[in-house]
PDB file of all heavy atoms in Angstrom:
ATOM      1  N   GLY A 105     -19.127 -43.766  65.610  1.00 96.00           N
ATOM      2  CA  GLY A 105     -19.922 -43.832  66.824  1.00 96.00           C
ATOM      3  C   GLY A 105     -21.246 -44.561  66.703  1.00 96.00           C
ATOM      4  O   GLY A 105     -21.884 -44.870  67.717  1.00 96.00           O
ATOM      5  N   ILE A 106     -21.714 -44.846  65.494  1.00 97.00           N
ATOM      6  CA  ILE A 106     -22.960 -45.602  65.345  1.00 97.00           C
ATOM      7  C   ILE A 106     -22.616 -47.088  65.371  1.00 97.00           C
ATOM      8  O   ILE A 106     -21.824 -47.558  64.548  1.00 97.00           O
ATOM      9  CB  ILE A 106     -23.693 -45.244  64.037  1.00 97.00           C
ATOM     10  CG1 ILE A 106     -24.029 -43.746  64.021  1.00 97.00           C
ATOM     11  CG2 ILE A 106     -24.975 -46.069  63.899  1.00 97.00           C
ATOM     12  CD1 ILE A 106     -24.797 -43.292  62.788  1.00 97.00           C
ATOM     13  N   PRO A 107     -23.179 -47.843  66.304  1.00 97.00           N
ATOM     14  CA  PRO A 107     -22.826 -49.259  66.448  1.00 97.00           C
ATOM     15  C   PRO A 107     -23.087 -50.083  65.185  1.00 97.00           C
ATOM     16  O   PRO A 107     -24.049 -49.826  64.446  1.00 97.00           O
ATOM     17  CB  PRO A 107     -23.727 -49.723  67.601  1.00 97.00           C
ATOM     18  CG  PRO A 107     -24.046 -48.484  68.367  1.00 97.00           C
ATOM     19  CD  PRO A 107     -24.138 -47.405  67.335  1.00 97.00           C
ATOM     20  N   ILE A 108     -22.245 -51.061  64.967  1.00 97.00           N
ATOM     21  CA  ILE A 108     -22.363 -51.925  63.792  1.00 97.00           C
ATOM     22  C   ILE A 108     -23.715 -52.635  63.766  1.00 97.00           C
ATOM     23  O   ILE A 108     -24.317 -52.805  62.702  1.00 97.00           O
ATOM     24  CB  ILE A 108     -21.224 -52.963  63.766  1.00 97.00           C
ATOM     25  CG1 ILE A 108     -19.864 -52.274  63.550  1.00 97.00           C
ATOM     26  CG2 ILE A 108     -21.466 -53.988  62.666  1.00 97.00           C
ATOM     27  CD1 ILE A 108     -19.713 -51.604  62.208  1.00 97.00           C
ATOM     28  N   ASP A 109     -24.209 -53.051  64.942  1.00 98.00           N
ATOM     29  CA  ASP A 109     -25.481 -53.766  64.942  1.00 98.00           C
ATOM     30  C   ASP A 109     -26.639 -52.865  64.515  1.00 98.00           C
ATOM     31  O   ASP A 109     -27.594 -53.323  63.876  1.00 98.00           O
ATOM     32  CB  ASP A 109     -25.756 -54.394  66.311  1.00 98.00           C
ATOM     33  CG  ASP A 109     -25.848 -53.379  67.429  1.00 98.00           C
ATOM     34  OD1 ASP A 109     -25.303 -52.265  67.280  1.00 98.00           O
ATOM     35  OD2 ASP A 109     -26.462 -53.698  68.472  1.00 98.00           O
ATOM     36  N   VAL A 110     -26.547 -51.573  64.832  1.00 98.00           N
ATOM     37  CA  VAL A 110     -27.582 -50.625  64.393  1.00 98.00           C
ATOM     38  C   VAL A 110     -27.541 -50.479  62.871  1.00 98.00           C
ATOM     39  O   VAL A 110     -28.587 -50.455  62.212  1.00 98.00           O
ATOM     40  CB  VAL A 110     -27.407 -49.255  65.079  1.00 98.00           C
ATOM     41  CG1 VAL A 110     -28.363 -48.217  64.476  1.00 98.00           C
ATOM     42  CG2 VAL A 110     -27.651 -49.376  66.578  1.00 98.00           C
ATOM     43  N   LEU A 111     -26.338 -50.397  62.302  1.00 98.00           N
ATOM     44  CA  LEU A 111     -26.204 -50.313  60.844  1.00 98.00           C
ATOM     45  C   LEU A 111     -26.800 -51.553  60.180  1.00 98.00           C
ATOM     46  O   LEU A 111     -27.490 -51.451  59.155  1.00 98.00           O
ATOM     47  CB  LEU A 111     -24.734 -50.167  60.452  1.00 98.00           C
ATOM     48  CG  LEU A 111     -23.972 -48.953  61.002  1.00 98.00           C
ATOM     49  CD1 LEU A 111     -22.533 -48.956  60.487  1.00 98.00           C
ATOM     50  CD2 LEU A 111     -24.664 -47.653  60.616  1.00 98.00           C
ATOM     51  N   GLY A 112     -26.530 -52.707  60.758  1.00 98.00           N
ATOM     52  CA  GLY A 112     -27.060 -53.942  60.199  1.00 98.00           C
ATOM     53  C   GLY A 112     -28.572 -54.014  60.296  1.00 98.00           C
ATOM     54  O   GLY A 112     -29.256 -54.434  59.348  1.00 98.00           O
ATOM     55  N   GLU A 113     -29.111 -53.568  61.417  1.00 98.00           N
ATOM     56  CA  GLU A 113     -30.559 -53.648  61.626  1.00 98.00           C
ATOM     57  C   GLU A 113     -31.322 -52.710  60.709  1.00 98.00           C
ATOM     58  O   GLU A 113     -32.406 -53.050  60.224  1.00 98.00           O
ATOM     59  CB  GLU A 113     -30.890 -53.352  63.092  1.00 98.00           C
ATOM     60  CG  GLU A 113     -30.525 -54.474  64.058  1.00 98.00           C
ATOM     61  CD  GLU A 113     -30.853 -54.112  65.493  1.00 98.00           C
ATOM     62  OE1 GLU A 113     -31.881 -53.430  65.707  1.00 98.00           O
ATOM     63  OE2 GLU A 113     -30.093 -54.496  66.395  1.00 98.00           O
ATOM     64  N   ILE A 114     -30.779 -51.514  60.448  1.00 98.00           N
ATOM     65  CA  ILE A 114     -31.505 -50.593  59.571  1.00 98.00           C
ATOM     66  C   ILE A 114     -31.471 -51.098  58.133  1.00 98.00           C
ATOM     67  O   ILE A 114     -32.468 -50.992  57.405  1.00 98.00           O
ATOM     68  CB  ILE A 114     -30.959 -49.145  59.679  1.00 98.00           C
ATOM     69  CG1 ILE A 114     -31.864 -48.173  58.914  1.00 98.00           C
ATOM     70  CG2 ILE A 114     -29.540 -49.038  59.176  1.00 98.00           C
ATOM     71  CD1 ILE A 114     -33.280 -48.087  59.416  1.00 98.00           C
ATOM     72  N   LYS A 115     -30.371 -51.702  57.710  1.00 98.00           N
ATOM     73  CA  LYS A 115     -30.344 -52.296  56.363  1.00 98.00           C
ATOM     74  C   LYS A 115     -31.340 -53.446  56.268  1.00 98.00           C
ATOM     75  O   LYS A 115     -32.058 -53.577  55.268  1.00 98.00           O
ATOM     76  CB  LYS A 115     -28.927 -52.784  56.025  1.00 98.00           C
ATOM     77  CG  LYS A 115     -27.956 -51.662  55.693  1.00 98.00           C
ATOM     78  CD  LYS A 115     -26.609 -52.180  55.224  1.00 98.00           C
ATOM     79  CE  LYS A 115     -25.806 -52.779  56.362  1.00 98.00           C
ATOM     80  NZ  LYS A 115     -24.421 -53.135  55.953  1.00 98.00           N
ATOM     81  N   ASP A 116     -31.415 -54.266  57.320  1.00 98.00           N
ATOM     82  CA  ASP A 116     -32.377 -55.368  57.337  1.00 98.00           C
ATOM     83  C   ASP A 116     -33.810 -54.835  57.321  1.00 98.00           C
ATOM     84  O   ASP A 116     -34.696 -55.412  56.674  1.00 98.00           O
ATOM     85  CB  ASP A 116     -32.173 -56.235  58.577  1.00 98.00           C
ATOM     86  CG  ASP A 116     -30.891 -57.053  58.514  1.00 98.00           C
ATOM     87  OD1 ASP A 116     -30.321 -57.187  57.406  1.00 98.00           O
ATOM     88  OD2 ASP A 116     -30.460 -57.551  59.578  1.00 98.00           O
TER      89      ASP A 116
END
Side-chain angles (χ1 to χ4, degrees):
I106 300 182
I108 293 295
D109 61 338
V110 172
L111 301 181
E113 287 179 36
I114 188 62
K115 285 186 288 187
D116 289 344

